[in-house]
Amino acid sequence: MNYDFEIGKTLEEIKNRHAKRVLLQFPEGLKPFSIKVVSELREKLPDVEFIVSTEPSWGACDVAEDEATTLKVDLIIHYGHTPYTWYYPKFPTVFIEVRSNLTISDEQVRDLVSILRDKYGARKLSLTATIQHVQLIKVLKSKLNEFQVLVGKPSSPFMYDGQVLGCDYKSAQNVEADVYLNISGGLFHALGVGLATGKPIIKVDPYTGKNEDLTDEVYKILKVRYGKIMKALDARTWVIIQGVKTGQNRPLMVKYFEKKLTERGYKVYVISNRSLSKDTLRNIDNSEVDVFMVTSCPRLPIDDLYDYEKPVLTPGEAKMIISGNLDKYIFPW
């Protein structure tokens, strides 16, 4: 495995808490490793019952508290995330970070330097990473000594310097740089950095060993998002979607937008939802509804509902409309 599941720490936590029935929760990319993890835990703790949750887990905002209660377990082991900025589970939960063992080669660093120097003439860099690769921030910073490399402070004491979440990019937003670098796999987090900062963004991918400039891709997304916003300007009826997953339920945010939108003369309705999808929206949609706004997760409109027939907005986009200031794109909140 290319990941450290901290089996020793997990065993100690289970022993110290005298847990006899444990729910293991993995994010989507780590689920394939779950059986091997259970095998290693069982070998050391044969009297403990382990259950693997296959429900989606998108972050530390999505801890399986309801599932744990239903299954009558003693403890949740939540893999792949640090605790969430705005919510900590009430059910006994242990967070295991699951750091990656991958590295960044000198060849990849040379390619990155070439892009930064030749394409951007960059001097100041912002360096961020997901929790799986946050240990590579110091390593990469030491190899980019011809640049001024800034590692921003996160929004939460649970997070590390330079760490970003899918909905929290304070580590990038707290610094001013010419180009923003994000150490991660896939596109999810790097695109988020680009949307949050509005600056050139390069993904440094330890899995492929390649660097990918995503600046143009972010620009394409922004054009789509501004199209949604412009269409929503003519809306008369808004539907606010309140998430009911424990870590995604934001009643104060719902009340704020309900009040502000009503003051501007809109009709406003509130619906609740646990797992939002296009089918969910289509089941409640009708000719009167003009625009939806998601308060549970700001990535849903960007990633999953971007092509819905009517505008589905993030809280940040709704703020732009309420304020009447469309010059600066607000992401995520």
Side-chain angles (χ1 to χ4, degrees), residues 241 271 273-278 280-281 294 296 300 304-305 312:
I241 303 168
I271 64 174
N273 175 264
R274 179 173 293 275
S275 297
L276 192 59
S277 67
K278 293 174 188 174
T280 304
L281 295 184
V294 178
S296 55
L300 286 168
D304 295 347
L305 305 170
V312 183

Side-chain angles (χ1 to χ4, degrees), residues 198-249:
K199 295 289 188 69
I201 171 67
I202 297 173
K203 180 189 67 164
V204 182
D205 193 326
Y207 298 95
T208 63
K210 298 183 182 301
N211 308 300
E212 187 173 359
D213 189 337
L214 297 175
T215 307
D216 289 343
E217 185 65 27
V218 171
Y219 180 66
K220 290 177 186 176
I221 294 173
L222 283 173
K223 288 198 294 185
V224 172
R225 298 318 302 170
Y226 268 100
K228 306 284 185 185
I229 293 168
M230 298 306 293
K231 191 173 181 180
L233 287 174
D234 297 325
R236 301 312 313 157
T237 303
W238 286 62
V239 172
I240 299 175
I241 303 168
Q242 180 169 355
V244 293
K245 288 187 178 183
T246 309
Q248 297 182 355
N249 182 11

